[in-house]
Amino acid sequence: MKLTNGNYVRPPARYSWWLRQGRYFRYMMRELSSLFVGIFSIIMICGLYQLSQGEAQFTAFTSSLWNNFWWLSVITFLFVTYHSYSWFIVTPKAMPLRFSGKKVAPWIIIGAHMILWLICSIFIWFIFTNGGAQ
Amino acid sequence: MSDVKTSQKSVRQVEIEILRYNPDTDEKPYFQTYQVPCQEEWVILDAVNYIKDNLDRSLSYRWSCHMAVCGSCGMMVNGEPTLSCHAFVRDMPDKITIEPLENFPIARDLIVDMDGFVEKLSSVKPYINAAEEKTVEQGTYQQLPEQLQLYKQYTQCINCMLCYSACPQMALNDGFVGPAALALAHRYNLDSRDKGREVREDVVASNAGIWECSFVGACSEVCPKHVDPAAAIQQTKIAATGDYFKKFLMPWKNAQKGQAPEGGDQ
Amino acid sequence: MNVKLPLKASNKPIIWSLFAAGGTVTALLFPALILLFALAVPFGLLPAELFSYDRIQGMLDNTFIKLIVFALLFLSIWHAAHRMRITAHDFGIRADGFIAFLFYSIALLATILLVIALF
């Protein structure tokens, strides 16, 4: 579009810009992970609601989740894992830690988050499979 | 004699396609192709200079230092915002496309209109906003090396505008204050001599500031000086969120802070 | 390319702090939770008896666990709502007012359902 002062403005690719470069595509996949975070949150909330409605409803919910929607869970797992990875990989930018006046190396901050992620995951798994025994 | 031979051998014929636009004669930009015999050690800017000197004197573009300091030779090289003095031709394919920086109006050929960029830079009040003016007798504002280290990275910006070209949010909303200006604001916010964060937040934390950023991170990837504007913006978001809730929870503090900038502006 | 005046102070910190907190807790916990509740049984990693009505109900009788579950799902749902609003904009959908209303309404309804289900 030519402006009155002679300058020319190139119209941006409003719908397809994110297909032009790998970094934009990865960004959009990262953002799209929120759809799957939302889907799993709603599945969990529905499960809790069915739980409050009684045993029959809850069993129907779990069998439907496991038998009919396992494929959705696989996609959700992949996207949400990418969310975790992409979230932790940028932590040094949001959190520039300093230790005795020196900048902490980014890989240490990222590594600490990845280890925390692993510990949380194992902890949740362990608590759930072993808890409730008492 | 053998020297001449080696230099002859390292010449590579490269097809360079450049987006041309003359506001006086053209309704819209068009591509023009040049065959350039590129030397092994050439950067993109050398190839463009070759075109200007030998093939087409009408080609317009900005450059000055040829050493990644002045920040004036930014162009889109094969779709990537690049300092043309900072990218070797030998790392490129045999066909190179050069366009003016994206997300800016084209003034002529590879020259973009940077008025909006300069306006955005100055909108964040990029200067020391001290709590109180010191007289000459009172001496200078002192700073420890550790305090300098906190923000030094953000002083390295050369205003090359590559980050504005890389930023998709800039493309989707051209009113966005943008990476370089927000990183510059962060540079002053982190400066121990400065007390102007709340004043800058009028722009920085506004509807055109940090909240338009969705942390794509492309700005930091293309920055030739490793300023990392994406990091500056995320840190500013966290600080601004803290300030927002502080204002919300302690409204009696607002009155005092609101008066300080007016006095300081005189 | 110019700054569009007047600039308005933004209330984004409210939703952004939920987004940031939600992003962090989902990043830490959601992959494990999906593996546990949605994939472990169909892929034969754990027996279905672990997920019996009585066992889950028994766990949620604990008020502390209930509060943790509430906090986690409350944050994750608002994280998702806000990020999807931004994503819609990135995909070129310009009706931001409507999109925000739509996604935040869904998040609000989900929050209400969560409270009803838990308490």
Side-chain angles (χ1 to χ4, degrees):
Chain A
M1 187 179 62
K2 194 166 179 172
L3 305 178
T4 46
N5 65 0
N7 288 347
Y8 186 86
V9 174
R10 290 158 287 180
R14 179 169 157 186
Y15 300 104
S16 60
W17 62 271
W18 54 281
L19 293 169
R20 282 192 330 190
Q21 276 190 19
R23 65 163 73 96
Y24 297 154
F25 183 79
R26 286 192 294 277
Y27 160 76
M28 275 311 234
M29 291 304 108
R30 184 192 91 186
E31 296 298 287
L32 209 53
S33 73
S34 63
L35 175 64
F36 295 93
V37 168
I39 286 174
F40 187 68
S41 304
I42 286 174
I43 288 175
M44 291 288 272
I45 290 169
C46 288
L48 288 168
Y49 182 75
Q50 299 295 48
L51 186 78
S52 72
Q53 297 302 297
E55 183 160 6
Q57 276 87 345
F58 182 67
T59 314
F61 165 81
T62 50
S63 78
S64 165
L65 176 65
W66 293 336
N67 299 319
N68 306 331
F69 289 103
W70 62 270
W71 54 271
L72 180 64
S73 302
V74 171
I75 302 170
T76 304
F77 178 75
L78 293 176
F79 267 94
V80 173
T81 305
Y82 186 60
H83 160 67
S84 302
Y85 168 79
S86 62
W87 193 269
F88 295 133
I89 209 83
V90 296
T91 44
K93 294 201 190 293
M95 212 190 279
L97 294 179
R98 288 182 170 267
F99 185 70
S100 65
K102 276 199 172 164
K103 212 173 166 179
V104 177
W107 70 267
I108 294 178
I109 301 174
I110 295 169
H113 278 93
M114 297 285 182
I115 290 169
L116 183 66
W117 177 25
L118 188 69
I119 292 173
C120 284
S121 301
I122 294 171
F123 180 76
I124 284 239
W125 188 279
F126 184 80
I127 286 285
F128 183 81
T129 52
N130 294 285
Q134 64 272 33
Chain B
M1 273 298 150
S2 65
D3 280 339
V4 175
K5 255 186 187 170
T6 23
S7 79
Q8 287 283 329
K9 259 186 193 165
S10 59
V11 168
R12 181 171 64 123
Q13 200 68 23
V14 177
E15 188 178 310
I16 297 186
E17 197 183 38
I18 297 185
L19 194 66
R20 302 294 308 272
Y21 175 68
N22 180 345
D24 300 329
T25 55
D26 302 330
E27 267 315 297
K28 55 183 196 177
Y30 60 95
F31 278 108
Q32 194 165 347
T33 308
Y34 303 94
Q35 302 294 332
V36 183
C38 292
Q39 309 264 354
E40 169 76 13
E41 67 277 10
W42 275 11
V43 289
I44 297 287
L45 180 61
D46 294 316
V48 178
N49 282 341
Y50 180 91
I51 295 171
K52 175 91 175 167
D53 293 343
N54 300 288
L55 304 176
D56 188 344
R57 290 177 58 192
S58 71
L59 182 64
S60 303
Y61 55 100
R62 290 192 181 107
W63 74 285
S64 174
C65 76
H66 201 291
M67 49 190 276
V69 169
C70 76
S72 54
C73 70
M75 306 166 184
M76 305 298 293
V77 179
N78 288 336
E80 178 80 358
T82 309
L83 273 190
S84 56
C85 68
H86 202 48
F88 283 109
V89 177
R90 61 170 178 253
D91 300 331
M92 306 268 166
D94 288 338
K95 187 167 186 252
I96 300 173
T97 304
I98 300 179
E99 295 160 88
L101 284 178
E102 263 169 28
N103 303 339
F104 291 95
I106 306 175
R108 178 188 291 264
D109 293 342
L110 298 174
I111 295 175
V112 295
D113 173 13
M114 53 191 289
D115 287 357
F117 172 73
V118 174
E119 187 196 330
K120 285 171 183 182
L121 276 187
S122 50
S123 75
V124 300
K125 301 188 172 66
Y127 38 82
I128 300 268
N129 218 307
E132 55 203 84
E133 290 287 320
K134 274 188 175 181
T135 61
V136 176
E137 292 72 38
Q138 282 172 305
T140 53
Y141 297 96
Q142 300 199 333
Q143 189 164 58
L144 296 167
E146 301 91 85
Q147 292 171 318
L148 169 69
Q149 285 308 317
L150 275 180
Y151 66 83
K152 194 171 175 209
Q153 168 192 356
Y154 302 110
T155 66
Q156 305 294 308
C157 176
I158 55 174
N159 301 328
C160 66
M161 311 189 290
L162 298 192
C163 52
Y164 281 66
S165 279
C167 176
Q169 297 304 344
M170 205 74 236
L172 297 173
N173 168 17
D174 70 357
F176 176 34
V177 174
L182 293 170
L184 188 62
H186 191 55
R187 172 250 175 276
Y188 284 97
N189 289 343
L190 288 179
D191 192 318
S192 59
R193 300 163 295 181
D194 181 87
K195 294 284 173 281
R197 189 166 99 200
E198 304 243 355
V199 186
R200 280 183 204 105
E201 276 180 355
D202 291 347
V203 173
V204 166
S206 75
N207 58 338
I210 45 175
W211 304 115
E212 284 303 300
C213 164
S214 60
F215 205 175
V216 181
C219 51
S220 297
E221 286 176 33
V222 300
C223 179
K225 304 309 261 187
H226 308 290
V227 171
D228 206 347
I233 297 174
Q234 304 325 304
Q235 291 162 32
T236 309
K237 281 180 189 171
I238 293 171
T241 301
D243 289 344
Y244 179 87
F245 285 114
K246 237 183 269 167
K247 261 181 209 159
F248 200 69
L249 297 172
M250 299 184 284
W252 58 91
K253 288 222 166 162
N254 296 348
Q256 306 158 354
K257 294 236 167 82
Q259 282 163 5
E262 283 170 44
D265 267 357
Q266 299 303 309
Chain C
M1 193 66 203
N2 295 351
V3 181
K4 288 195 186 93
L5 297 168
L7 297 176
K8 286 185 302 223
S10 180
N11 290 317
K12 282 274 170 68
I14 298 172
I15 190 72
W16 187 80
S17 49
L18 290 177
F19 160 80
T24 307
V25 294
T26 51
L28 284 171
L29 301 173
F30 260 39
L33 286 174
I34 295 166
L35 208 55
L36 193 59
F37 287 105
L39 293 173
V41 174
F43 284 88
L45 301 173
L46 291 173
E49 294 78 66
L50 274 176
F51 301 86
S52 70
Y53 175 79
D54 291 334
R55 192 160 181 273
I56 305 281
Q57 188 68 61
M59 285 183 169
L60 282 172
D61 280 343
N62 184 328
T63 313
F64 182 63
I65 292 181
K66 225 181 225 184
L67 286 175
I68 287 183
V69 169
F70 173 79
L72 172 65
L73 290 176
F74 171 77
L75 289 174
S76 68
I77 201 80
W78 284 95
H79 164 84
H82 181 61
R83 203 174 219 182
M84 280 168 69
R85 174 190 173 188
I86 309 283
T87 308
H89 180 267
D90 290 346
F91 274 116
I93 302 164
R94 261 335 112 70
D96 186 53
F98 171 74
I99 291 288
F101 175 76
L102 179 72
F103 286 139
Y104 295 157
S105 298
I106 293 173
L108 189 65
L109 288 177
T111 307
I112 293 169
L113 190 66
L114 176 64
V115 172
I116 293 172
L118 276 178
F119 303 104

